[in-house]
Amino acid sequence: MPEMRFTIRWPDGATESCYSPSLVVRDHFAAGKVYRLDDFLARARTALSVASERVQAKYGFPCSRALGQLARIETAAAAFANAADARVQILSFEP
């Protein structure tokens, strides 16, 4: 299963490299695009859950790294939850 990393820019300007065990994140995000925080979170939840499910279908167990990445994203996003115009940008995808 091809894994990949995608780099994001948080509302405070910090960048983070994120992990996915599947290329499915490209179905939910576009490089260079900026997403409202709530939209970014919804897309990340869907993409990383689908990625984990693909691992489960192939290997018989969910992907703990994908679920851990989702937890990390949700924790980091909580810091911006009260910011009215919080946005997250997808900077790049790396195979």
Side-chain angles (χ1 to χ4, degrees):
M1 183 165 284
E3 60 183 32
M4 69 175 310
R5 299 197 74 76
F6 56 105
T7 304
I8 62 173
R9 177 176 292 124
W10 289 107
D12 65 358
T15 61
E16 182 171 349
S17 178
C18 300
Y19 171 81
S20 173
S22 168
L23 303 179
V24 71
V25 293
R26 287 187 172 187
D27 294 341
H28 299 276
F29 295 116
K33 188 157 182 188
V34 178
Y35 298 89
R36 287 184 338 271
L37 183 64
D38 61 336
D39 185 31
F40 169 76
L41 284 172
R43 290 168 181 269
R45 286 180 187 120
T46 300
L48 291 170
S49 293
V50 169
S52 180
E53 290 166 7
R54 287 183 177 184
V55 170
Q56 184 163 4
K58 185 168 184 172
Y59 298 107
F61 51 86
C63 180
S64 61
R65 284 186 68 192
L67 299 176
Q69 180 64 69
L70 178 55
R72 164 70 188 120
I73 286 171
E74 289 179 334
T75 298
F80 308 107
N82 294 325
D85 196 34
R87 308 250 188 240
V88 178
Q89 183 178 18
I90 306 300
L91 297 175
S92 63
F93 295 108
E94 299 95 32

